Amino acid sequence: MAVSIVIVSHSARLAEGVAELAEQMSMGEVTIAVAGGTDDGSVGTSLDKVIAALQKASNPEGTLVLLDLGSAVMVTEMALEQLDPSERQNIIISTAPLVEGAVLAAVEASAGSTLAEVAEAADNGHEMPKGKQEREP
C-alpha cells in the first residue's frame, strides 16, 4: 500500500481536477481523496468533508495533505483534532504548492516511498519552473 494524498480546496472542481491530474501521473496506484467546497456546494471549506477525506485516505503508510489557501489549513488542523490520536499519527500537512506538490507527491508515493519522502517530493514543487518569461524593465 502506498502513502495516500488528501487534496483540500475551497473549490470542489479545483480539488477534483488536481486529484484527476495526480491520479493520471501515479497511474492509479495512489489513493487520493478530496475535500473541496462547502457542504452546500459553494466556495469555501468544510470540516465534515475534510474529516471524511482524511478517514477515506487513512492507511498505515501515512497521508500527505495538500491545500490551496490559508483557511484550508485552519479547517484541516481542526479536522485533525477531531480524529482519534491513532488516526492522525501518520498525517503531514504540506506547504507545497497544490498542483505541483500533488503531482510530485503522487509520483513519489506510487514508487513506494515513505511519507517523509513523499512530503519532500511535494516540497520540491516550490522549485518547479513554469517557463521563462522575459520582461521589459
Side-chain angles (χ1 to χ4, degrees):
M1 180 172 274
V3 169
S4 60
I5 297 170
V6 171
I7 306 294
V8 180
S9 173
H10 285 72
S11 166
R13 291 185 350 206
L14 178 59
E16 291 291 340
V18 171
E20 178 184 22
L21 182 60
E23 286 170 352
Q24 282 286 324
M25 299 303 286
S26 70
M27 296 184 276
E29 297 290 320
V30 177
T31 297
I32 302 175
V34 298
T38 63
D39 295 331
D40 68 3
S42 60
V43 172
T45 52
S46 162
L47 180 62
D48 290 336
K49 284 186 174 188
V50 174
I51 291 170
L54 289 169
Q55 290 174 331
K56 177 181 178 184
S58 179
N59 78 63
E61 301 304 318
T63 303
L64 185 68
V65 182
L66 292 120
L67 316 140
D68 63 357
L69 300 169
S71 66
V73 176
M74 180 183 67
V75 171
T76 301
E77 289 172 345
M78 290 170 50
L80 289 174
E81 291 173 10
Q82 300 291 318
L83 299 177
D84 291 334
S86 63
E87 290 178 300
R88 64 182 145 186
Q89 208 169 322
N90 277 336
I91 299 174
I92 293 176
I93 299 175
S94 177
T95 61
L98 181 61
V99 177
E100 295 89 339
V103 168
L104 291 169
V107 170
E108 191 71 27
S110 71
S113 299
T114 66
L115 179 57
E117 292 167 332
V118 172
E120 182 179 343
D123 282 342
N124 289 332
H126 290 291
E127 307 301 322
M128 287 184 73
K130 293 188 178 188
K132 186 171 184 167
Q133 183 179 23
E134 293 189 30
R135 299 175 191 239
E136 293 184 31

